[in-house]
Amino acid sequence: AQSVTQLDSHVSVSEGTPVLLRCNYSSSYSPSLFWYVQHPNKGLQLLLKYTSAATLVKGINGFEAEFKKSETSFHLTKPSAHMSDAAEYFCVVRFMDTGRRALTFGSGTRLQVQP
Amino acid sequence: GAGVSQTPSNKVTEKGKYVELRCDPISGHTALYWYRQSLGQGPEFLIYFQGTGAADDSGLPNDRFFAVRPEGSVSTLKIQRTERGDSAVYLCASSLRGDRANSPLHFGNGTRLTVT
């Protein structure tokens, strides 16, 4: 069955320390992968997308994600957290083998950044 | 340029009433999506339009929910006989090409529907 799993519902880091938000997917084919961020009372914003041109994808605000096909993972990282990074992060997948065009969202990871 | 616009931003209605939620996509975007986000959860897919036609409506929970996009631009999500369980934020998104794998979705700020 096709699925997308965000392994942590909450992650708390100190300002200036690295961030790791984990995402795994289950699919027979390589899907299209995205990360979106949702700040409180704001709309969903695209952070980055995997295009198959490179396995390491750079996004906005210093975020990166690495596609690892062997591990079926697409973890989101940032070397140094900033207070403004506190938000809800969604790993999002478009499963290409079904012909379906809709994006499937993970359950989200709430990132807290402590001063 | 303008992003995806959703109106109203908030809607409070009584159980059993009919509601319409409007989405104005980014100009030139052929694909339009509706999602529903309940508190503490990720958005759940409802329906996808490519042009005027509903290409995938597999996410609509039941026949009380219906959506149209008559001219391939603005879309309206319609909910009949609303129930308290319909309370959620309804999100609309558009993309330039719905058939392109890596075409990202651009989301509006949503309509918060509360059924009392």
Side-chain angles (χ1 to χ4, degrees):
Chain A
Q2 298 169 329
S3 63
V4 52
T5 303
Q6 292 184 243
L7 295 111
D8 307 294
S9 58
H10 289 84
V11 169
S12 182
V13 301
S14 298
E15 191 176 20
T17 64
V19 175
L20 170 64
L21 305 182
R22 298 181 293 167
C23 173
N24 285 90
Y25 66 90
S26 174
S27 177
S28 302
Y29 297 85
S30 291
S32 294
L33 298 158
F34 309 80
W35 276 96
Y36 279 79
V37 61
Q38 189 173 40
H39 287 92
N41 300 315
K42 296 277 183 71
L44 285 156
Q45 182 183 17
L46 178 69
L47 268 182
L48 51 82
K49 65 177 181 179
Y50 170 64
T51 64
S52 77
T55 56
L56 183 62
V57 182
K58 293 187 185 297
I60 61 172
N61 301 335
F63 283 93
E64 294 182 344
E66 186 172 8
F67 172 63
K68 291 187 176 180
K69 185 174 181 178
S70 60
E71 299 177 9
T72 60
S73 69
F74 191 56
H75 301 336
L76 182 70
T77 60
K78 183 173 180 177
S80 177
H82 192 272
M83 296 296 291
S84 62
D85 294 329
E88 187 88 20
Y89 291 81
F90 293 98
C91 181
V92 186
V93 180
R94 179 179 274 134
F95 295 105
M96 299 309 298
D97 49 339
T98 63
R100 198 176 186 197
R101 295 295 173 256
L103 301 186
T104 300
F105 281 72
S107 55
T109 298
R110 180 164 299 278
L111 176 65
Q112 290 182 310
V113 183
Q114 308 291 342
Chain B
V4 176
S5 175
Q6 291 188 246
T7 53
S9 55
N10 281 282
K11 176 71 177 178
V12 181
T13 191
E14 293 180 350
K15 179 176 177 296
K17 298 289 189 183
Y18 168 83
V19 295
E20 290 190 350
L21 311 179
R22 176 189 167 103
C23 173
D24 211 328
I26 293 172
S27 178
H29 280 196
T30 61
L32 186 145
Y33 305 76
W34 283 99
Y35 282 79
R36 177 169 70 174
Q37 187 174 21
S38 300
L39 196 62
Q41 298 182 19
E44 294 178 302
F45 168 73
L46 294 176
I47 186 169
Y48 153 61
F49 287 89
Q50 181 59 47
T52 60
D56 182 353
D57 64 358
S58 60
L60 294 177
N62 52 59
D63 62 5
R64 295 187 299 104
F65 288 75
F66 189 71
V68 296
R69 195 186 185 199
E71 297 178 357
S73 178
V74 171
S75 176
T76 305
L77 178 66
K78 309 180 181 196
I79 310 174
Q80 299 177 322
R81 304 183 304 279
T82 52
E83 300 177 356
R84 292 195 181 86
D86 298 335
S87 296
V89 175
Y90 288 81
L91 298 167
C92 178
S94 68
S95 69
L96 190 59
R97 291 281 301 272
D99 58 344
R100 290 287 173 86
N102 299 320
S103 183
L105 271 57
H106 302 268
F107 284 85
N109 288 335
T111 294
R112 183 176 299 278
L113 176 66
T114 304
V115 182
T116 62

